[in-house]
Amino acid sequence: FLGDDFGRARISVGLLEGAIRSIDRMLDRLAPMIEDESIEAFCMIEPSCLSAVRDDWLELRVRSDSALRERLARRAFLVEQFLEDHWESHPRRAEFGELGGRLVLHPHCHQRALWGSGSSDSILQRVWPGRVEVLDAGCCGVAGGFGYQHYEVSMAVGELALLPAVRAAGEDDMICAPGVSCRHQIRDVTGRRAHHPARLLDAQLVV
């Protein structure tokens, strides 16, 4: 599913009627799976989409049944959080390659405010103990479409902490960020590639 299917972009600029239409369409598509109790979780890549499902979808005057939205919210997780929560119950232990340096993690703002950085860094700490550094860097400055409309403010916010920390990272250090806006800001301004936690785990998985 695309990020805009969750209504996040429209919600962020107050276009609530359009957001509600997107949400209803998404719920129509998801309803059979939400009602299927054998489906344990709905795993999401983007923290802002998860925050929409767990927060905004429950508050907006959406046409779809509120009980359906609540059942989805209870089973919605970031993919890395789901992996961490179910690590011990998995029948096979995965093995991962070693990192050359540190793993520098920049949590998404919604994630940091609603669930804490542990929703991403717990699984990374498990796989690479002692190698993960969680940046206390606040917002990357992009914040969805905000940074494209207010470029100078976006740069000033990014330069408060995140961008200097990325520039200070060593060549062997890996930069990690769950938010797509954060990854773009890091790449566009510093030239460093930031990896999503799930993609990093996949790339380092030893088959």
Side-chain angles (χ1 to χ4, degrees), residues 14-192:
L15 299 176
L16 299 185
E17 291 185 5
I20 288 169
R21 287 194 295 271
S22 293
I23 294 166
D24 279 326
R25 285 195 297 269
M26 174 65 90
L27 284 165
D28 285 342
R29 298 164 69 186
L30 290 178
M33 290 177 279
I34 297 171
E35 292 167 352
D36 184 348
E37 295 298 331
S38 69
I39 294 178
E40 189 167 348
F42 294 83
C43 292
M44 301 186 182
I45 294 293
E46 175 62 32
S48 64
C49 293
L50 179 59
S51 73
V53 169
R54 284 188 173 180
D55 188 16
D56 301 289
W57 285 28
L58 304 181
E59 298 294 331
L60 291 172
R61 295 180 179 178
V62 180
R63 171 183 57 81
S64 303
D65 180 46
S66 61
L68 186 72
R69 286 176 274 149
E70 289 167 0
R71 288 202 298 274
L72 173 60
R74 286 195 295 269
R75 286 187 283 164
F77 302 89
L78 290 178
V79 62
E80 58 268 32
Q81 180 70 65
F82 181 80
L83 290 173
E84 169 63 18
D85 290 348
H86 293 78
W87 183 271
E88 297 298 338
S89 63
H90 198 281
R92 178 185 172 196
R93 292 292 180 267
E95 295 183 8
F96 296 86
E98 292 294 326
L99 299 179
R102 297 174 301 153
L103 179 54
V104 180
L105 174 68
H106 174 66
H108 188 280
C109 289
H110 292 183
Q111 173 184 25
R112 193 191 301 267
L114 295 173
W115 322 297
S117 65
S119 52
S120 282
D121 77 65
S122 293
I123 186 68
L124 300 175
Q125 296 278 12
R126 177 187 290 276
V127 173
W128 295 292
R131 306 294 289 277
V132 181
E133 177 184 344
V134 180
L135 295 178
D136 184 15
C139 183
C140 70
V142 176
F146 176 87
Y148 299 103
Q149 297 169 321
H150 307 280
Y151 176 77
E152 292 184 359
V153 175
S154 174
M155 292 298 100
V157 171
E159 292 292 352
L160 289 174
L162 171 61
L163 300 176
V166 171
R167 294 190 190 100
E171 291 185 4
D172 291 335
D173 295 337
M174 301 284 285
I175 311 299
C176 195
V180 63
S181 296
C182 309
R183 295 195 299 275
H184 277 289
Q185 181 81 315
I186 291 168
R187 180 66 176 268
D188 292 346
V189 181
T190 70
R192 292 289 298 264

